[in-house]
Amino acid sequence: MSAPLKANVTLSQFVMIDVQSRLATVMPTDAMQMVIKNCSILAQTASLLGVAMIVTEQYPKGLGHTIPELSALMPNIHPVDKTTFSCLAESRFTRQLTRDHSQIILSGMEAHICVVQTALDLIEAGKQVFVVEDAVISRNPANKANALARMRDAGCIITNTESVVFEWLGAAEGEVFKVVSKLIR
């Protein structure tokens, strides 16, 4: 049986890679604001639905910590500090990956460095990888486009924030749906 082609709330683990204060300042401003908004929607929805989350920080001493508006949404999540580009090269990250979560939903930066290397390693590790196109960024849009093409060619599912959250929800009903609908507006 092949893996499902849509994000499943019980199979998913949400990963936000290196959305850090100093790194954010060198990104295209409008695109960075969109990534912050979409990472916020993903993190809040994951929290409401009980989706496991991992946050990473690349060399926080030099690049700062996760931007405050996102870290405030995840007060109980302790970021994984790393110096490796692929998150899977960091043992604390791999310890937080759970076997029963076969789907990894990726967001963050930079798409052509840490996100792509993590995605490719996750595919190699047997995970089904969803890359949230409107929640990843690179300084150069051409590098992001190239990374998305590489990840798609490697077997990643390239998706968007609204697709993921509504696939997680599954139906237009209940209190969580009402809250998430307001986040999307």
Side-chain angles (χ1 to χ4, degrees):
M1 185 168 109
S2 63
L5 295 177
K6 62 182 184 176
N8 179 301
V9 71
T10 60
L11 299 176
S12 292
Q13 192 162 19
F14 173 59
V15 176
M16 186 170 22
I17 300 172
D18 308 342
V19 185
Q20 295 165 251
S21 55
R22 288 191 198 120
L23 193 53
T25 63
V26 298
M27 298 297 150
T29 305
D30 291 344
M32 189 69 235
Q33 288 306 316
M34 181 182 70
V35 167
I36 292 168
K37 176 186 176 196
N38 290 328
C39 284
S40 170
I41 291 166
L42 289 161
Q44 290 178 79
T45 305
S47 181
L48 288 166
L49 294 171
V51 173
M53 290 188 268
I54 305 174
V55 174
T56 68
E57 293 180 346
Q58 178 75 21
Y59 185 61
K61 183 178 176 183
L63 297 176
H65 292 285
T66 302
I67 60 171
E69 53 261 62
L70 293 175
S71 61
L73 300 172
M74 304 169 288
N76 299 321
I77 303 290
H78 302 289
V80 174
D81 293 353
K82 64 184 187 64
T83 56
T84 60
F85 298 122
S86 172
C87 294
L88 269 77
E90 174 53 52
S91 61
R92 193 166 151 235
F93 179 87
T94 57
R95 283 193 303 273
Q96 290 185 37
L97 283 176
T98 59
R99 279 197 200 110
D100 60 339
H101 294 99
S102 57
Q103 296 180 341
I104 308 299
I105 313 298
L106 293 181
S107 66
M109 54 194 191
E110 285 191 71
H112 68 291
I113 303 171
C114 295
V115 176
V116 74
Q117 289 187 40
T118 300
L120 297 175
D121 285 350
L122 285 165
I123 290 282
E124 194 173 302
K127 297 289 187 179
Q128 185 179 31
V129 180
F130 291 72
V131 179
V132 186
E133 183 173 17
D134 58 2
V136 297
I137 192 169
S138 292
R139 285 164 290 169
N140 182 330
N143 289 344
K144 174 184 169 180
N146 174 264
L148 290 169
R150 285 184 66 201
M151 290 183 280
R152 179 179 281 119
D153 289 348
C156 295
I157 295 170
I158 307 302
T159 188
N160 61 74
T161 299
E162 287 194 26
S163 289
V164 170
V165 299
F166 287 110
E167 287 169 15
W168 280 345
L169 287 167
E173 59 191 24
E175 289 307 308
V176 174
F177 170 75
K178 290 177 186 174
V179 172
V180 171
S181 293
K182 289 177 185 171
L183 294 175
I184 297 294
R185 291 185 193 144

